[in-house]
Amino acid sequence: MSSELLAPLDLAFWHLESPAHPMHLGALAHFGPLPGDGDAAGVLDLLARRAAAIPRLRMRVRDVLLPVGGAAWTTDKRFDVRRHVRQVALPGADFAAEAARLAGELMERPVERGLPPWEMYLLTGAPDGSFAVLVKLHHALADGMRAVAIGAGIFDEIAAARRPRGSRARAVPPRSWLPGPGRIMGAARERIEDLGRAVEVGASVLGASVARAGLLDGGAPSALAAHSSGTRRVGTAVLDLERVHQVRRITGGTANDVLLAVVAGALRRWLDGRGEPLPGADPRALVPVSRRRPGAPAGTGNSLSAYLLTLPVTEPDPATRLAVVRRAMDRNKADGPLRGAGAVAVLADQLPSLAHRFGAPLASGAARLLFDVLVTNVPLPRSALSLGGAPLRALFPMAPLARGQSLAVAMSPYGGRVHVGLVADGKAVPDLDVLAAALAEELDLLGLLHEDR
């Protein structure tokens, strides 16, 4: 892979970024102590070698003449992995809290755009010899599923599976570069369908934005509506996955429905604890949906859509909140991920490169008109993972904040737990730890309400 045009959605993420609003996603992974006499220097070297072996992490973005306004991924001929992988020693008294604090500071900083757009930090200093790894990937480089596929290359199990085994690749018959009539007709048909879908989504986006603008004018002020400061704060929470499934088995729906209801209830608790009035209109969540088919290759670019979900924060009854969420998500799934205002990423996929280059800075402030908070679920491999023999204890995903957004919630089930990463505007949400604690409290309440049924 020496050169490859950025897909339209990737180009949109590249140009949506500003110095105060970086568009990278990330993960904070905590590992147990190294076995034997392993040390931090060995882990740092291992991280560097495994990251350097991932071809995608050697690619940087450069402008191209055609298409006008476009850009391409190209191999960085001066790639030096040590410019991307660094070690930071932290005070060990409360290592987890220090790691989250540093993660917030590092998430504020954009990645260097002239280099491959990613960074890794090895965080050391825990008294028991455990350590953490912070990964930052620009959203143009990867969506959630693609980020997992790229980042998983640092783990022992995936790295071992990727080693060449000497088997001969099966020969593939050469295919003519000249498309036949069938391929031409198929491509034309797909393009017409895509344009029709883009018109439909565009109308939905416009309608939803106009309606939302009216609600924003009459809504009570809250942290979710605060002006962006460009600062970042990171919080973490750990939820019991079995309790999530316990509630799901009783109420129906999916585990993600339960988690979305937990987020709604936690927001209500948090606002109430602040002494703030509940909003005049329930906040709206953007819930990303992968457009990749199960079992299909991860691909090289973003492939996303999303659902819009009104979080029933003003509903006082937890069971009713869950029922409202489940019905709304059922409606979203019946419509499909390629319809409705939430599928704005589908619209972005149809715009020319020049529109992204000049329109993205203007569009970056429009996210507030569509949604108030991002809530995403990032799946991880189900098998146990390790790095240098040190077991993975927890992995907290972190989503980017668009301009005008104060909070993003990302969740990853692993090892019988749901690890929740909260990224917030540091000035709008200085009490992020209170919101993190409210998530566990809300799940416990849902579990108690349903355990006798």
Side-chain angles (χ1 to χ4, degrees):
M1 184 190 332
S2 58
S3 185
E4 166 202 326
L5 286 176
L6 267 72
L9 185 55
D10 301 346
L11 193 63
F13 285 133
W14 189 248
H15 291 305
L16 277 170
E17 182 172 74
S18 68
H21 299 93
M23 286 300 295
H24 49 252
L25 42 84
L28 179 62
H30 285 269
F31 295 88
L34 291 165
D37 57 354
D39 58 11
V43 177
L44 188 68
D45 181 65
L46 185 64
L47 275 175
R49 284 189 285 109
R50 288 183 178 171
I54 300 172
R56 197 70 184 173
L57 296 185
R58 291 175 168 267
M59 308 294 283
R60 67 178 184 88
V61 176
R62 64 173 178 85
D63 292 336
V64 295
L65 293 176
L66 293 174
V68 178
W73 293 108
T74 185
T75 301
D76 186 355
K77 297 179 180 178
R78 295 183 294 177
F79 176 75
D80 180 359
V81 71
R82 295 292 179 176
R83 300 185 68 176
H84 301 265
V85 180
R86 306 175 181 94
Q87 180 182 353
V88 180
L90 297 174
D94 191 345
F95 181 77
E98 286 295 326
R101 179 197 58 77
L102 180 64
E105 293 180 4
L106 294 175
M107 290 295 284
E108 288 182 14
R109 308 175 190 173
V111 294
E112 190 171 340
R113 291 172 75 90
L115 299 174
W118 64 275
E119 299 169 1
M120 286 187 192
Y121 294 87
L122 172 63
L123 311 182
T124 58
D128 65 351
S130 60
F131 61 94
V133 175
L134 173 67
V135 180
K136 291 169 54 177
L137 298 171
H138 198 285
H139 210 338
L141 182 67
D143 56 27
M145 289 187 67
R146 179 66 181 164
V148 170
I150 292 174
I154 71 169
F155 293 115
D156 298 335
E157 296 75 15
I158 285 82
R162 286 179 173 174
R163 289 174 190 155
R165 302 185 182 276
S167 58
R168 295 181 60 185
R170 186 175 62 181
V172 178
R175 187 172 65 176
S176 171
W177 64 272
L178 270 177
R183 287 173 60 193
I184 292 175
M185 291 298 294
R189 190 182 306 112
E190 289 178 4
R191 186 59 179 164
I192 292 171
E193 291 173 354
D194 288 345
L195 290 174
R197 186 181 298 123
V199 171
E200 180 182 347
V201 173
S204 297
V205 170
L206 180 61
S209 300
V210 171
R212 189 64 182 166
L215 292 175
L216 290 174
D217 289 340
S222 73
L224 297 181
H227 292 292
S228 298
S229 68
T231 60
R232 294 291 181 269
R233 187 179 295 268
V234 168
T236 61
V238 179
L239 307 179
D240 186 342
L241 184 57
E242 176 52 35
R243 175 145 280 198
V244 172
H245 285 303
Q246 173 195 5
V247 175
R248 174 194 59 79
R249 286 191 293 267
I250 295 170
T251 62
T254 68
N256 199 47
D257 295 341
V258 177
L259 291 171
L260 289 167
V262 166
V263 171
L267 287 172
R268 180 183 175 90
R269 285 172 178 266
W270 174 61
L271 291 172
D272 184 62
R274 280 178 150 222
E276 290 192 21
L278 293 175
D282 279 324
R284 181 184 284 172
L286 186 76
V287 183
V289 181
S290 176
R291 290 158 59 194
R292 305 185 197 280
R293 295 180 180 178
T300 56
N302 284 279
S303 184
L304 289 172
S305 184
Y307 296 137
L308 286 178
L309 171 69
T310 299
L311 294 172
V313 170
T314 56
E315 169 55 54
D317 179 58
T320 303
R321 282 198 295 268
L322 176 54
V324 169
V325 167
R326 189 174 65 247
R327 288 195 297 268
M329 289 301 289
D330 286 345
R331 287 193 297 269
N332 276 328
K333 292 167 190 173
D335 291 339
L338 300 184
R339 295 181 181 274
V344 64
V346 179
L347 177 62
D349 260 342
Q350 309 304 319
L351 297 177
S353 302
L354 201 59
H356 287 304
R357 181 173 290 272
F358 292 107
L362 300 175
S364 64
R368 183 75 182 93
L369 294 176
L370 272 181
F371 65 98
D372 303 287
V373 58
L374 176 73
V375 185
T376 184
N377 197 320
V378 183
L380 293 177
R382 294 186 179 181
S383 58
L385 299 172
S386 61
L387 175 61
L392 176 66
R393 289 177 170 174
L395 189 147
F396 300 100
M398 294 179 287
L401 284 183
R403 190 169 64 186
Q405 303 296 313
S406 299
L407 177 67
V409 182
M411 301 174 281
S412 284
Y414 176 77
R417 299 286 185 267
V418 180
H419 300 99
V420 185
L422 305 169
V423 177
D425 184 283
K427 292 186 177 179
V429 191
D431 54 346
L432 189 60
D433 56 333
V434 178
L435 178 57
L439 290 165
E441 293 167 1
E442 185 64 21
L443 178 58
D444 286 343
L445 177 59
L446 272 176
L448 290 171
L449 287 174
H450 294 96
E451 67 182 5
D452 295 330
R453 297 190 181 184

